[in-house]
Amino acid sequence: MIEIFNIFIFVLLVSLLILPNKSILVSLNKGNTRYSTFEISSLNLLLILNIIWFSSVIDIRKIYTFLVILSFLTINLTIFLHDLNKKNLFKNESVSYLLIFIITFLISIIIAHVLFFSHDVRLFWFEKTIMFYNDLFVTSDDTIKPEYPHFGTYLWAFLWKFSFLDYEYFGRIFYTFIYTFSIYFLINKIKFKKNFIKYFIFILIILLNFKMKWFDGRQDILIFSFNLFVFAFLHELIFNKSKQTIHAIGFLLTINLLLWTKNEAMLYIFSYFIAILYYIKGSRRFVILSIIICLLSIKFIFYEFHNIEAHLNRDTFPSPSNFFTYILSLDLQERVPQVFFWYIVGIIRNPILLLSIIFLFFIFLENKKYFMKHLYLFYIYLIISIGIFFVYTISTYDFPFHMIGSFGRVFLQFSMIFLIPVLKFFEYKKMI
Amino acid sequence: MIKKKKNKIEFIIVLLILFVFVFIFEIPRKFFNISRLTYDERLNISYDFCSDRSVGFINYVKNKHDIKNSVNFIKYTGVRNPNWIFFDRSSKQEDEYHILLNYNNDNEIFLERINKNTFRYKFDPKYNHRIFKKIVIENLENLDNYEISIHNNLIIPKDTVISKLNSKTIKSNAEIYLNESNNKMMQSQQKQEKNITIKIKNNQNKINDDLKIKFKLEHIYKIKDYEIIEKINNCYLVAKK
């Protein structure tokens, strides 16, 4: 019972971190814009995650970072208690916060019950986590994949270290919190006629894509969640043509986290880069793209400085010296149809992506003008798909084993890409 | 009337969600198990005790003998990196202890016949850490000359002839002792988890249907050379004598 009580308290404290008090970041914004509670909460969460990332790259002692976060929590809680009597503190979102808390707690129970790690987690990710748990830095990485980005494992180790019971799964509970919050944040972009529908869709999405294996420490669930933040911010920046700094900052903070979580995030970042380049006009475009290039440079310099090999994936890509010889030796006639086949299987196996594509097809037939407004998502999807085709076709791993084994988690990462256009269409039609 | 109907739908949806959490995700059962079982007990249940991953055994000896740091593993299973159980990496690996997983005395491998003159040993990790001592060929017909070769697929695929038998020297059962280089090649194939293929040829290209091939092996790590501290099934915690 002590363990359950600890999980409950842990989830509660984590939830308190994102209470919708105006963070420093929001105060910096000089415009008189009124933000939604979830936008403030999302920035609180992204800010905390970036503080943890920062401590991971400068190798500061974890206790100091913990104290910073603890202060953040205390300030948040103090303001919250001070404003408790004020009406409309949560702007009618109190049930939403409660729901996020309950769902995170329930998934945490499942995580604490099934302690199984899959092959990749045992071999790479958990080894990195243990390294950070033992207060070592990336330079001491003697795992077989030192080139894999470290942020997710650092986060895992960080929350494991400061959990009350010193069990590793507390780090993974934080992953769960990011997951549930990001889903809610995305669907909160839709104006539902009734809150009940919103709660129902939120739970339905979780039921449709929940698999225990996503929470065993693999980093795909983080990529999935960060992609959701990006989709929500891109919706504001491109679709709503938002001029608010908060959206651009939120977008860039998320891009930074993506960059340090998993190597395949480079493909997503590239597609977002192209979308921004094409759809956002003026100085805003220049600023956002320059910052993305800066973030990429920081990573590159960091890898260079610490002598970490900045190879995307040694097992997947042939070495540059014999790249073309290798490509010419491939039986493309055999490979390309297989990749295509498994690509289709990947879509079919992902209920959310499959349903979104089916709905979008009908939306296209019904209202082409509406469809065209979300064209930026199709460009992103196209770039991601081309990237997937390219990587799996030239993979030096066992073929088709590599593809069969990893398509599920790869499709999970961007599976919610079309959720906003689909739900927005129903909103537009006053159906939800 | 419409409001009542809507409330009914909402109620049904809530019931459905509750149903999923209770019966599909089995939250109450998991709740009960967490309160009943310790972290280690749940960890042992999530894996196996002493077979493929042997997390149960490793966890058991770790707690019983208060082993803090990672130890040397001698694995006769396909598991990679069983060291993950040891969270403390502040000091160096314990050299005193060795953990042998799925240690077994199966020192004979019968090869599967895949066609007329080709026999295959399909990689099995239970034969790890072995010396390939000899190849035994049973039911040879004494009328012919034979050429035995191993298909080496490590770097450049090629057949390495390991022995030539002629009708004057062979009996119905032939034993071919493997020299150092052939043994190393086979050990290397085993280490890289590759199958080993043996080809047998004779000048008439007719191979007896009853012909059987087996490998005779020998342990590299002999259990008698160690002091057994803990033994459960085929898992051992040992220390060097």
Side-chain angles (χ1 to χ4, degrees):
Chain A
M1 213 57 194
I2 294 167
E3 224 174 315
I4 291 173
F5 178 70
N6 273 284
I7 295 170
F8 181 86
I9 296 294
F10 184 83
V11 176
L12 185 70
L13 288 176
V14 165
S15 308
L16 291 176
L17 276 173
I18 57 138
L19 282 174
N21 303 312
K22 287 193 175 184
S23 63
I24 305 159
L25 214 119
V26 176
S27 310
L28 282 173
N29 196 27
K30 291 192 174 88
N32 290 322
T33 329
R34 298 184 95 189
Y35 300 115
S36 80
T37 50
F38 269 87
E39 272 177 346
I40 299 168
S41 291
S42 72
L43 276 173
N44 284 347
L45 179 61
L46 291 171
L47 194 64
I48 287 163
L49 290 173
N50 273 277
I51 290 170
I52 296 174
W53 162 77
F54 185 67
S55 78
S56 82
V57 291
I58 60 162
D59 194 23
I60 194 172
R61 282 189 65 194
K62 287 188 186 69
I63 186 72
Y64 299 133
T65 318
F66 180 70
L67 289 175
V68 171
I69 291 169
L70 203 63
S71 322
F72 194 95
L73 179 70
T74 316
I75 295 166
N76 235 5
L77 203 60
T78 315
I79 300 171
F80 174 74
L81 292 173
H82 179 260
D83 294 346
L84 200 60
N85 293 330
K86 279 187 187 171
K87 272 184 185 174
N88 219 7
L89 181 67
F90 282 105
K91 294 175 186 162
N92 302 324
E93 292 283 14
S94 49
V95 179
S96 307
Y97 281 92
L98 189 68
L99 199 60
I100 291 172
F101 170 77
I102 292 170
I103 297 291
T104 309
F105 177 66
L106 292 180
I107 298 177
S108 304
I109 293 294
I110 301 175
I111 289 173
H113 183 258
V114 186
L115 299 167
F116 185 83
F117 287 158
S118 57
H119 174 270
D120 282 13
V121 177
R122 275 199 310 273
L123 216 55
F124 325 129
W125 302 115
F126 192 56
E127 275 299 307
K128 274 184 191 287
T129 307
I130 289 175
M131 179 185 84
F132 291 121
Y133 177 76
N134 283 280
D135 289 327
L136 299 170
F137 188 51
V138 284
T139 44
S140 315
D141 192 341
D142 57 358
T143 63
I144 52 175
K145 300 280 182 193
E147 74 274 17
Y148 277 14
H150 70 268
F151 171 67
T153 50
Y154 185 90
L155 183 70
W156 183 356
F158 184 86
L159 286 133
W160 171 12
K161 208 172 178 67
F162 295 107
S163 62
F164 310 108
L165 291 179
D166 199 25
Y167 291 149
E168 59 73 27
Y169 66 75
F170 280 93
R172 293 187 286 131
I173 288 177
F174 197 69
Y175 285 12
T176 310
F177 179 75
I178 299 170
Y179 164 79
T180 45
F181 180 82
S182 64
I183 294 176
Y184 206 92
F185 179 62
L186 187 80
I187 57 172
N188 212 46
K189 294 284 165 199
I190 314 297
K191 289 186 185 75
F192 291 92
K193 275 195 288 189
K194 281 186 84 178
N195 276 340
F196 180 80
I197 302 170
K198 180 160 70 178
Y199 307 147
F200 172 66
I201 288 178
F202 170 62
I203 293 173
L204 185 69
I205 288 170
I206 287 180
L207 295 182
L208 283 177
N209 84 13
F210 180 84
K211 276 183 189 165
M212 185 49 223
K213 63 179 181 181
W214 304 142
F215 296 89
D216 72 348
R218 56 183 88 192
Q219 304 293 294
D220 307 278
I221 202 69
L222 286 180
I223 297 284
F224 166 87
S225 310
F226 296 148
N227 271 339
L228 295 198
F229 281 112
V230 171
F231 299 146
F233 288 123
L234 279 182
H235 174 74
E236 295 294 347
L237 292 168
I238 297 176
F239 186 81
N240 289 340
K241 295 186 173 54
S242 162
K243 297 280 179 229
Q244 292 176 32
T245 319
I246 189 172
H247 295 136
I249 291 177
F251 173 73
L252 291 166
L253 286 174
T254 318
I255 291 290
N256 190 40
L257 299 176
L258 268 175
L259 195 58
W260 293 84
T261 305
K262 230 182 159 194
N263 279 335
E264 53 238 56
M266 291 298 284
L267 177 63
Y268 302 119
I269 293 169
F270 176 69
S271 64
Y272 304 144
F273 189 93
I274 300 291
I276 299 275
L277 186 71
Y278 193 72
Y279 282 98
I280 294 181
K281 306 284 176 218
S283 61
R284 213 171 166 70
R285 170 171 66 185
F286 175 75
V287 173
I288 294 177
L289 294 184
S290 306
I291 295 176
I292 293 179
I293 292 168
C294 276
L295 294 175
L296 284 164
S297 310
I298 291 171
K299 188 177 173 185
F300 182 73
I301 293 165
F302 178 85
Y303 271 55
E304 231 1 70
F305 185 76
H306 292 295
N307 209 13
I308 304 167
E309 199 181 353
H311 199 287
L312 277 177
N313 195 331
R314 182 175 287 285
D315 294 334
T316 307
F317 296 106
S319 65
S321 58
N322 63 357
F323 186 84
F324 290 106
T325 327
Y326 172 76
I327 300 288
L328 291 171
S329 71
L330 290 175
D331 184 0
L332 294 178
Q333 277 184 333
E334 187 220 334
R335 283 202 172 206
V336 173
Q338 280 214 56
V339 176
F340 186 76
F341 171 76
W342 284 104
Y343 180 85
I344 301 293
V345 171
I347 293 175
I348 293 168
R349 272 171 48 185
N350 191 307
I352 293 181
L353 188 61
L354 179 68
L355 285 173
S356 311
I357 291 173
I358 293 170
F359 278 127
L360 271 179
F361 176 71
F362 288 110
I363 290 170
F364 176 73
L365 296 179
E366 167 96 11
N367 191 339
K368 286 191 183 61
K369 207 176 163 188
Y370 173 85
F371 184 87
M372 295 307 278
K373 280 184 187 168
H374 289 93
L375 208 59
Y376 71 97
L377 287 174
F378 289 91
Y379 287 131
I380 292 173
Y381 185 76
L382 188 70
I383 294 169
I384 294 170
S385 299
I386 291 170
I388 288 174
F389 262 86
F390 176 73
V391 171
Y392 284 109
T393 306
I394 66 154
S395 171
T396 50
Y397 256 129
D398 283 353
F399 188 86
F401 165 77
H402 180 206
M403 211 167 41
I404 298 166
S406 61
F407 252 34
R409 58 174 183 75
V410 170
F411 275 79
L412 168 83
Q413 294 172 2
F414 61 94
S415 55
M416 302 269 274
I417 186 165
F418 297 127
L419 199 76
I420 286 189
V422 169
L423 292 180
K424 273 275 168 197
F425 183 77
F426 291 131
E427 177 199 317
Y428 168 72
K429 287 274 173 189
K430 295 190 170 56
M431 286 164 80
I432 51 173
Chain B
M1 189 68 182
I2 296 168
K3 203 177 177 186
K4 257 192 173 178
K5 204 177 171 185
K6 272 189 176 175
N7 282 343
K8 249 187 183 175
I9 293 170
E10 286 179 8
F11 181 70
I12 291 168
I13 288 172
V14 170
L15 272 185
L16 269 174
I17 290 168
L18 272 176
F19 178 85
V20 170
F21 279 112
V22 173
F23 295 103
I24 310 283
F25 291 140
E26 300 180 302
I27 299 285
R29 186 178 71 85
K30 285 169 180 149
F31 220 89
F32 175 69
N33 278 345
I34 294 172
S35 55
R36 191 174 59 97
L37 302 167
T38 64
Y39 176 85
D40 283 335
E41 283 168 337
R42 295 201 308 277
L43 193 68
N44 296 349
I45 290 169
S46 297
Y47 292 87
D48 51 292
F49 194 86
C50 176
S51 53
D52 190 20
R53 297 180 187 93
S54 306
V55 169
F57 178 77
I58 302 167
N59 214 15
Y60 169 73
V61 294
K62 177 190 160 190
N63 292 331
K64 188 177 172 187
H65 298 276
D66 197 26
I67 305 170
K68 290 268 187 291
N69 305 310
S70 55
V71 295
N72 295 309
F73 281 93
I74 301 167
K75 299 175 294 175
Y76 298 86
T77 74
V79 65
R80 286 179 171 78
N81 188 28
N83 252 328
W84 68 269
I85 301 282
F86 299 95
F87 302 147
D88 190 352
R89 301 289 167 88
S90 51
S91 46
K92 279 193 172 174
Q93 191 163 291
E94 302 245 10
D95 284 333
E96 188 193 344
Y97 295 121
H98 293 260
I99 291 179
L100 280 73
L101 300 178
N102 197 28
Y103 184 87
N104 61 84
N105 287 315
D106 296 347
N107 282 329
E108 270 188 359
I109 306 172
F110 286 91
L111 274 67
E112 171 198 2
R113 190 171 194 161
I114 47 175
N115 64 37
K116 194 82 185 160
N117 64 346
T118 313
F119 293 77
R120 181 179 61 188
Y121 151 56
K122 212 173 173 188
F123 168 78
D124 187 336
K126 83 175 194 182
Y127 300 113
N128 283 349
H129 311 293
R130 299 294 216 287
I131 299 162
F132 286 77
K133 213 158 167 41
K134 60 185 176 186
I135 300 174
V136 178
I137 306 169
E138 292 175 358
N139 305 329
L140 274 171
E141 283 177 353
N142 293 351
L143 312 164
D144 221 331
N145 296 329
Y146 290 93
E147 184 182 278
I148 320 289
S149 57
I150 300 174
H151 183 67
N152 177 357
N153 53 359
L154 287 176
I155 308 161
I156 308 156
K158 62 172 183 186
D159 288 341
T160 309
V161 177
I162 51 164
S163 183
K164 284 183 179 174
L165 307 169
N166 63 54
S167 54
K168 287 175 192 160
T169 55
I170 56 171
K171 299 170 186 168
S172 65
N173 289 354
E175 288 187 348
I176 303 161
Y177 283 86
L178 293 162
N179 62 24
E180 187 70 19
S181 70
N182 288 333
N183 179 41
K184 270 195 175 157
M185 178 176 71
M186 287 171 81
Q187 280 188 27
S188 176
Q189 305 231 129
Q190 174 72 11
K191 210 170 182 180
Q192 294 185 37
E193 305 184 356
K194 288 192 187 297
N195 300 338
I196 299 176
T197 311
I198 298 284
K199 284 183 182 166
I200 179 159
K201 277 187 210 162
N202 63 5
N203 43 15
Q204 289 175 17
N205 209 16
K206 272 186 180 173
I207 309 288
N208 184 4
D209 284 345
D210 298 338
L211 195 129
K212 284 176 185 157
I213 298 183
K214 65 183 176 188
F215 293 150
K216 286 270 192 181
L217 316 168
E218 204 176 277
H219 272 294
I220 294 175
Y221 301 101
K222 292 184 178 98
I223 201 77
K224 61 177 191 236
D225 297 338
Y226 294 91
E227 179 196 340
I228 300 172
I229 300 165
E230 204 71 59
K231 176 191 183 304
I232 296 173
N233 300 333
N234 282 341
C235 294
Y236 296 77
L237 172 70
V238 296
K240 268 186 184 168
K241 272 183 184 170

